[in-house]
Amino acid sequence: DLSNPSDDTTNNQNECAVVSRSSTGGTFYNIILENVELRITRGSAALFSANSYNNHFENISIKDSIIKSTTSSGGYVGSLLGTGTNTYIKNVQALNLQMENMGNYSGGLAGFLQSNYTNPSLIENSFVELDLIINPLGCSRTSFGGILGYGYLGTVIKNSHTDGHIRQTSPNNCASNSSARSTSLGGIYGYSRHCLLLNSYSSLNINKGDDGNPTPGAAESDNCAGASGIGVASNVHRAA
């Protein structure tokens, strides 16, 4: 019951969302989520839709909310979507978003977003302010982005920006081995393939060092990007 503040925590769920676990062909418009906490174990998860296909999200505000993984196996997580295909996102803001112990493919708005050749997924006029902490219980985590963990096949982000932190505290014995530490961290995309980035920027601090403290600008090791916005890119077109 989202109207009852005492019931604003959802605990230890698999593939879940506060609003809709799976949605197709829907419109989500003029909605505010505030002070919600979602605790997950595994599978895709988000505050709005864990799995989205051909949906429209517009004028949505997510404020002072927390997504927390209670295991080391969570992945495909975002504040708006876990995974999405042919999805349109406009005028969405996530403010003071906390994402804790995140697994692979996690982003401020979506974990994974893809298009088909006739109907591209688009994120525009959106802003994310987050503190994303990578799960310290395993090595070789991948694809963490301020807006999108992994963008694929024609996904477009334009007129959007991010602020805050993406960081990793010492993952047991991984921190001393640079090849075992997390890769593909970006201020906008974590990992992107055949995507487009237009008139967008990031002020995120990114760090995956031993102390977990954020470092301004580009991150400290391979496949990371701060202000440049993309951790790992393949066939990405970027324009001012």
Side-chain angles (χ1 to χ4, degrees), residues 39-88:
R39 298 179 184 175
I40 59 177
T41 53
R42 62 180 61 85
S44 56
L47 296 178
F48 268 83
S49 181
N51 301 289
S52 167
Y53 181 78
N54 199 29
N55 290 311
H56 182 122
F57 298 86
E58 188 168 354
N59 297 340
I60 291 173
S61 181
I62 299 166
K63 300 178 180 179
D64 303 321
S65 294
I66 300 172
I67 303 173
K68 179 184 293 186
S69 175
T70 58
T71 70
S72 61
S73 59
Y76 298 101
V77 179
S79 64
L80 191 69
L81 310 175
T83 68
T85 301
N86 302 343
T87 296
Y88 178 66

Side-chain angles (χ1 to χ4, degrees), residues 168-240:
Q168 180 175 30
T169 56
S170 298
N172 297 328
N173 296 321
C174 303
S176 60
N177 181 358
S178 61
S179 66
R181 290 157 65 186
S182 296
T183 60
S184 307
L185 284 67
I188 295 177
Y189 291 96
Y191 188 101
S192 56
R193 188 175 183 185
H194 305 288
C195 294
L196 182 64
L197 179 63
L198 298 170
N199 194 33
S200 299
Y201 69 93
S202 173
S203 302
L204 269 171
N205 293 307
I206 301 176
N207 178 276
K208 57 180 182 177
D210 295 347
D211 59 5
N213 293 321
T215 300
E220 296 179 342
S221 52
D222 293 342
N223 299 340
C224 298
S228 59
I230 304 173
V232 171
S234 173
N235 296 325
V236 174
H237 301 279
R238 185 180 182 206

Side-chain angles (χ1 to χ4, degrees), residues 84-166:
T85 301
N86 302 343
T87 296
Y88 178 66
I89 298 167
K90 182 178 181 181
N91 295 335
V92 174
Q93 61 176 359
L95 304 177
N96 193 26
L97 173 66
Q98 309 294 313
M99 301 180 70
E100 301 179 14
N101 299 330
M102 291 292 102
N104 296 332
Y105 310 113
S106 298
L109 288 185
F112 174 81
L113 189 60
Q114 67 177 350
S115 308
N116 62 28
Y117 289 105
T118 60
N119 189 15
S121 290
L122 171 65
I123 298 173
E124 65 175 331
N125 301 338
S126 295
F127 172 67
V128 176
E129 176 193 43
L130 84 161
D131 185 15
L132 187 154
I133 303 173
I134 299 169
N135 194 297
L137 300 179
C139 305
S140 301
R141 303 293 178 185
T142 186
S143 303
F144 303 90
I147 289 179
L148 186 54
Y150 186 173
Y152 181 61
L153 197 61
T155 294
V156 178
I157 297 176
K158 69 178 184 178
N159 300 330
S160 299
H161 66 287
T162 64
D163 198 4
H165 310 284
I166 296 177

